[in-house]
Amino acid sequence: MKKVAIELTNVSRKFISPEGKVTLALKDFSLTVNEGDFCAIVGPTGCGKSTTLGMITGLNPPSSGSVKVFGKPVVGIDPNIGFVFQADAVFPWKNVIDNVSIGPIFRGKDPKTAREMAGEWVRRVGLSGFEYHFPHQLSGGMRKRVALAQTFINEPKILLMDEPFSALDVQTRALMQDELLGLWSEKKASVVFVTHDIEEAIALGDRVVVLSKGPGMVKSSYEIPLTRPRDVSEARYSSEFIHLSKQIWSDLKDEVQI
């Protein structure tokens, strides 16, 4: 039986503006993610998807309820957690190999060892030959490969992803989704993947959680029966995929209609 990696129980989160206005982002929200599971979260803008990730990292403590990681309350930043953002979190003044090696260096590895590790990860994400290129010399998809290498090199036990591929074109997005699944299948980190894209959620996840409009609550949850290893492009044409997409959209459309 799998152990619980992430557990949010009856969580609510309030934000107060400088003018004193109170906004309730999440209300009585509960979520459990087991070790090695890939959980995708979809929902309308402003439903608290990114807030959920912030609470797991410890950056946004809940106003009420509890957040636990591996059975312990979240206090501060956990080094076992990796985060891939929508925007590229790369240093523009550093080349690829230096960007990838910076994480291990901050965690105490000597620079030579860190660069050797970075060289291996640069190869694994398909960027051999681009080690000494700078971010402005790379395409959007290549920068995302750098971001994946930056994250996976630290071998996180939990991987949080906030719409990491939303800015990419359709073809590049599909390639990066396959790349992500390939890397994840090797290490089996527990993943929480936030997206607006229903098809992306189904293609990647073991489970898709649908949130209501803000304040966000769990509206529904779907187990994804698609087999692994999974080819993202081919999976989209299966009858199971199409049926799930229709079901999830049925749940979601009432939340996004004005």
Side-chain angles (χ1 to χ4, degrees), residues 1-257:
M1 186 174 179
K2 290 184 177 180
K3 295 181 180 179
V4 174
I6 302 167
E7 187 175 19
L8 293 86
T9 306
N10 298 327
V11 164
S12 295
R13 181 67 166 94
K14 297 177 181 178
F15 291 95
I16 302 177
S17 71
E19 295 77 26
K21 180 182 178 181
V22 177
T23 301
L24 187 60
L26 289 167
K27 181 181 179 182
D28 297 328
F29 174 77
S30 296
L31 176 72
T32 299
V33 180
N34 291 329
E35 284 187 328
D37 283 358
F38 197 123
C39 177
I41 299 178
V42 297
T45 299
C47 72
K49 299 187 297 297
S50 297
T51 300
T52 300
L53 300 184
M55 288 193 295
I56 297 169
T57 63
L59 294 173
N60 290 322
S63 303
S64 62
S66 67
V67 182
K68 295 181 180 179
V69 170
F70 298 116
K72 297 180 179 180
V74 172
V75 179
I77 308 301
D78 191 326
N80 289 312
I81 296 177
F83 207 128
V84 181
F85 300 89
Q86 181 175 354
D88 298 323
V90 296
F91 297 105
W93 61 89
K94 290 184 177 291
N95 60 34
V96 168
I97 201 160
D98 286 342
N99 262 294
V100 176
S101 65
I102 198 70
I105 290 173
F106 281 156
R107 290 167 183 251
K109 295 285 186 184
D110 68 88
K112 181 180 178 181
T113 301
R115 284 177 67 85
E116 290 173 353
M117 294 169 61
E120 173 62 15
W121 275 101
V122 167
R123 182 192 64 77
R124 291 176 73 173
V125 299
L127 288 177
S128 294
F130 294 90
E131 290 88 346
Y132 301 102
H133 284 59
F134 289 85
H136 73 273
Q137 298 173 307
L138 305 175
S139 67
M142 293 168 79
R143 288 195 297 273
K144 285 301 176 187
R145 291 176 186 274
V146 175
L148 291 179
Q150 282 179 313
T151 303
F152 278 95
I153 193 174
N154 295 315
E155 298 187 345
K157 294 180 180 178
I158 290 176
L159 180 58
L160 308 178
M161 308 190 79
D162 193 357
E163 299 192 66
F165 307 141
S166 60
L168 302 177
D169 62 77
V170 174
Q171 294 87 353
T172 304
R173 179 185 288 199
L175 290 173
M176 292 310 304
Q177 290 166 350
D178 279 327
E179 189 75 41
L180 170 61
L181 288 182
L183 294 172
W184 168 75
S185 66
E186 296 177 29
K187 299 297 181 180
K188 285 293 185 179
S190 306
V191 179
V192 180
F193 187 103
V194 163
T195 179
H196 280 92
D197 189 327
I198 293 173
E199 291 191 356
E200 181 172 61
I202 298 170
L204 296 175
D206 295 312
R207 176 164 53 114
V208 175
V209 175
V210 182
L211 299 192
S212 67
K213 59 188 174 184
M217 296 182 285
V218 175
K219 181 170 185 177
S220 56
S221 179
Y222 293 87
E223 298 296 325
I224 307 302
L226 304 176
T227 58
R228 296 195 187 275
R230 190 180 299 172
D231 184 300
V232 169
S233 298
E234 291 187 7
R236 297 176 191 274
Y237 298 105
S238 69
S239 58
E240 296 100 325
F241 190 103
I242 295 169
H243 178 66
L244 278 166
S245 183
K246 289 179 178 178
Q247 280 189 302
I248 295 173
W249 170 240
S250 179
D251 280 352
L252 192 57
K253 67 180 179 182
D254 292 336
E255 305 300 324
V256 298
Q257 289 175 344

